[in-house]
């Protein structure tokens, strides 16, 4: 959507793109923020490289429209919640109490991912196999999980050096394009 907005392929594409951008932002997810940043940076770099002057105005309109949607959604929320009580998530409660094991859990996932990659370095364990391979490599019983909670570590564990490198080359090619 960002690309079609920047190149002017479809002027009305800006509306669903702004809605998608606002929805991704409102997820409060680091992955979603990374995706948005990557897409915007790629669009800016391509527009700059190709000298697409109208692209700058389109990007500005897209960012402003997305910001308006975010602000409007946040402002409307109290009026749409019908008095429902909002409670903190379990993970937030753990962090606030100082008893969170999030960092050690993530370190255990990374260690397991590295160990999987070490045993299947070239071709990986296979796409989508982390959940079934991980139990043999997990550090603790509480470390059971179907994903590594780190896209890069899981990609290299599942796809190995060949697949991980191919993915990296694709990302670079998109940025250079």
């Amino acid at each position: 959507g960002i690309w079609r907005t920047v190149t002017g392929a479809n002027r009305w594409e800006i509306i669903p793109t702004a809605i998608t951008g606002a929805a991704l932002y409102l997820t409060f997810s680091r992955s979603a923020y990374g995706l948005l940043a990557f897409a915007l940076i790629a669009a800016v770099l391509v527009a700059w490289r190709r000298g697409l002057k109208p692209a700058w105005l389109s990007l500005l309109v897209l960012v402003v429209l997305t910001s308006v949607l975010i602000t409007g959604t946040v402002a409307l929320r109290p009026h749409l919640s019908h008095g429902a009580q909002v409670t903190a998530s379990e993970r937030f409660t753990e962090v606030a109490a100082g008893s969170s094991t999030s960092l050690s859990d993530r370190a255990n996932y990374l260690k397991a991912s590295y160990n999987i990659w070490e045993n299947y370095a070239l071709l990986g364990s296979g796409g989508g196999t982390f959940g079934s391979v991980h139990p043999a490599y997990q550090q603790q019983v509480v470390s059971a999980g179907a994903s590594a909670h780190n896209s890069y570590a899981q990609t290299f564990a599942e796809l190995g050096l060949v697949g991980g490198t191919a993915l990296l080359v694709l990302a670079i090619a998109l940025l250079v394009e």
Side-chain angles (χ1 to χ4, degrees):
I2 292 173
W3 177 246
R4 291 173 59 89
T5 298
V6 167
T7 59
N10 183 349
R11 288 190 175 192
W12 295 106
E13 189 81 27
I14 198 166
I15 294 169
T17 302
I19 292 169
T20 302
L24 284 171
Y25 180 83
L26 290 170
T27 64
F28 297 107
S29 164
R30 290 181 303 234
S31 296
Y33 295 159
L35 178 67
L36 284 172
F38 178 78
L40 281 173
I41 290 169
V44 167
L45 289 175
V46 170
W48 175 70
R49 187 158 184 224
R50 291 190 179 177
L52 299 173
K53 301 239 186 280
W56 301 111
L57 181 60
S58 297
L59 278 174
L60 179 63
V61 169
L62 179 62
V63 168
V64 168
L65 183 58
T66 302
S67 299
V68 166
L69 286 171
I70 291 167
T71 305
T73 303
V74 170
L76 282 174
R77 188 188 185 297
H79 303 292
L80 300 175
S81 65
H82 305 291
Q85 291 291 77
V86 177
T87 59
S89 70
E90 183 178 326
R91 182 65 91 179
F92 180 78
T93 306
E94 286 178 2
V95 170
S99 62
S100 175
T101 60
S102 178
L103 289 177
S104 63
D105 291 346
R106 289 179 188 273
N108 287 333
Y109 285 124
L110 286 175
K111 288 176 193 173
S113 297
Y114 176 77
N115 291 337
I116 293 169
W117 178 81
E118 195 173 42
N119 286 341
Y120 301 97
L122 189 59
L123 298 176
S125 63
T129 61
F130 187 86
S132 58
V133 174
H134 179 253
Y137 295 90
Q138 70 189 42
Q139 305 294 315
Q140 300 171 352
V141 175
V142 297
S143 296
S147 73
H149 301 284
N150 182 313
S151 298
Y152 307 108
Q154 185 168 337
T155 297
F156 275 93
E158 290 182 346
L159 303 180
L161 194 58
V162 173
T165 302
L167 190 62
L168 188 62
V169 167
L170 175 65
I172 291 170
L174 287 172
L175 286 175
V176 172
E177 172 52 30

